[in-house]
């Protein structure tokens, strides 16, 4: 097969958590553009419906929105069952939904710490567990976990977030081993700073914004479209021999 055809996702079904905003929305759009049918998930029914509608119109693919809180076990079970009813099968899971609560450890509550772990670690774990029987039975799957540069380096005032992103990297590696016999690949993308809602506090603070630029060899924040190539690659047969990998997409930040 010609190499560019191996990047196509025709006939595949993808699910993107946190697909209504920021990186998740850009990745959902890329997967649909590459040929996949896409399930867009977030906690808000009106937003998932609006985004799925826009993607369906712009790409001509079947795209549907699902309201689900990924931290809720019963909701995740119901979500996967509904998506399988609606689409028939699921090939690609992008665990992207995430939150960040910043602050020095002695100014954070336990509840804030646990909230970040619930969304960034428990959510992907529940999603992976829910898709496991289906993907194992079909002996096919592409699972893409969204970590962060903070999966591998540190910044002050990030104990909840960096702990969670370190954990998702290890979850990726363990599942890569667990699922390799079933032809399910599991990889992590580790983005650097992109201008999304999550980063508004940094973007609105000129000193913080500049301090990131100073750390990044390419000298700028990422553009949303720059997340798209990697997710299509990892979701496609072009990446069939890659599993357990963690790929930075950070303008060179973590090279230091
Ligand atoms: P945004 O804040 O822009 O979007 C987050 C998305 O996740 C929204 O769609 C939100 O929808 C959804 N979400 C949050 N909590 C839940 C939940 N419990 N259940 C279901 N959906 C939920 O984030 P970004 O696009 O910036 O980040 C996306 C991912 O990329 C995150 O995992 C983040 O950690 C990671 N990342 C981002 C970087 C960046 O620079 N932006 C850098 C490195 C990593 P709703 O609130 O409606 O549920």
């Amino acid at each position: 097969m010609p190499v560019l055809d191996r990047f196509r996702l025709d006939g595949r079904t993808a699910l993107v958590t946190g697909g209504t905003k920021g990186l998740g929305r850009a990745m959902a759009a890329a997967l649909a553009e590459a040929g996949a049918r896409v399930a867009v998930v977030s906690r808000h029914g009106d937003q998932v419906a609006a985004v799925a509608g826009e993607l369906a119109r712009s790409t001509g693919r079947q795209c549907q929105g699902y309201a689900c809180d990924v931290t809720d076990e019963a909701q995740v079970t119901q979500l996967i069952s509904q998506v399988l009813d609606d689409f028939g099968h699921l090939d690609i899971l992008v665990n992207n939904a995430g939150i960040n609560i910043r602050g020095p450890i002695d100014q954070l509550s336990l509840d804030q710490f646990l909230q970040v772990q619930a969304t960034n670690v428990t959510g992907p774990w529940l999603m992976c567990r829910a898709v496991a029987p289906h993907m194992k039975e079909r002996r096919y799957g592409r699972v893409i976990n969204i970590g962060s540069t903070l999966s591998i380096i540190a910044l002050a005032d990030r104990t909840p977030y960096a702990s969670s992103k370190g954990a998702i990297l290890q979850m990726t590696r363990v599942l890569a081993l667990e699922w390799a016999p079933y032809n399910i690949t599991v990889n992590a993308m580790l983005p650097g700073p992109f201008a999304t809602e999550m980063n508004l506090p940094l973007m609105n603070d000129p000193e913080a914004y500049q301090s990131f630029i100073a750390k990044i060899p390419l000298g700028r924040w990422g553009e949303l479209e720059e997340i798209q190539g990697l997710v299509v690659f990892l979701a496609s047969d072009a990446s069939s021999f890659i599993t357990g990998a963690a790929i930075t997409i950070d303008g060179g930040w973590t090279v230091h």
Side-chain angles (χ1 to χ4, degrees):
M1 189 187 282
V3 64
L4 287 181
D5 289 351
R6 294 206 293 270
F7 286 79
R8 298 271 339 157
L9 300 176
D10 304 292
R12 301 287 186 207
T13 304
L15 185 158
V16 182
T17 68
T20 52
K21 294 181 192 161
L23 298 181
R25 185 182 178 140
M27 291 191 286
L31 296 170
E33 199 183 315
R37 304 181 301 165
V38 179
V40 176
V41 175
S42 89
R43 288 168 297 185
H44 295 94
D46 52 339
Q47 294 176 14
V48 291
V51 171
E54 278 167 33
L55 294 185
R57 273 191 297 282
S58 61
T59 64
R61 313 285 168 218
Q62 181 188 352
C63 296
Q64 273 174 241
Y66 299 85
C68 171
D69 182 339
V70 298
T71 68
D72 184 305
E73 184 177 18
Q75 287 186 36
V76 168
T77 306
Q78 167 61 24
L79 167 72
I80 297 306
S81 150
Q82 190 62 52
V83 167
L84 291 178
D85 275 356
D86 293 345
F87 289 92
H89 64 269
L90 182 62
D91 307 285
I92 300 155
L93 167 64
V94 183
N95 279 314
N96 163 78
I99 60 168
N100 190 356
I101 301 176
R102 304 173 180 87
I105 192 167
D106 49 357
Q107 288 173 31
L108 292 170
S109 66
L110 174 59
D111 183 55
Q112 288 174 312
F113 180 79
L114 293 177
Q115 236 180 293
V116 175
Q117 310 315 309
T119 310
N120 299 3
V121 185
T122 309
W125 189 87
L126 288 172
M127 291 293 301
C128 286
R129 193 181 61 164
V131 302
H134 173 74
M135 286 188 176
K136 283 165 93 167
E137 192 189 326
R138 290 186 75 231
R139 303 190 80 81
Y140 187 87
R142 293 276 182 275
V143 176
I144 300 158
N145 293 325
I146 308 304
S148 163
T149 46
L150 295 190
S151 297
I152 52 175
I153 59 165
L155 272 183
D157 303 337
R158 303 298 196 286
T159 51
Y161 188 77
S163 304
S164 74
K165 292 299 184 179
I168 189 98
L169 179 51
Q170 283 300 80
M171 194 191 305
T172 300
R173 291 171 168 154
V174 172
L175 284 178
L177 292 179
E178 224 168 286
W179 288 351
Y182 301 95
N183 190 35
I184 303 166
T185 65
V186 189
N187 291 295
M189 291 168 55
L190 311 184
F194 283 77
T196 65
E197 220 167 271
M198 177 181 285
N199 282 332
L200 281 178
L202 304 176
M203 287 149 57
N204 291 335
D205 174 349
E207 206 176 302
Y209 187 80
Q210 279 305 326
S211 81
F212 277 92
I213 291 179
K215 291 180 208 296
I216 297 172
L218 287 181
R220 60 181 177 81
W221 284 43
E223 300 290 335
L224 283 182
E225 66 180 23
E226 292 179 303
I227 203 80
Q228 294 183 313
L230 182 55
V231 76
V232 170
F233 172 58
L234 290 177
S236 74
D237 288 337
S239 63
S240 49
F241 200 49
I242 300 179
T243 196
I247 303 179
T248 52
I249 177 158
D250 65 353
W253 177 4
T254 44
V255 169
H256 288 297

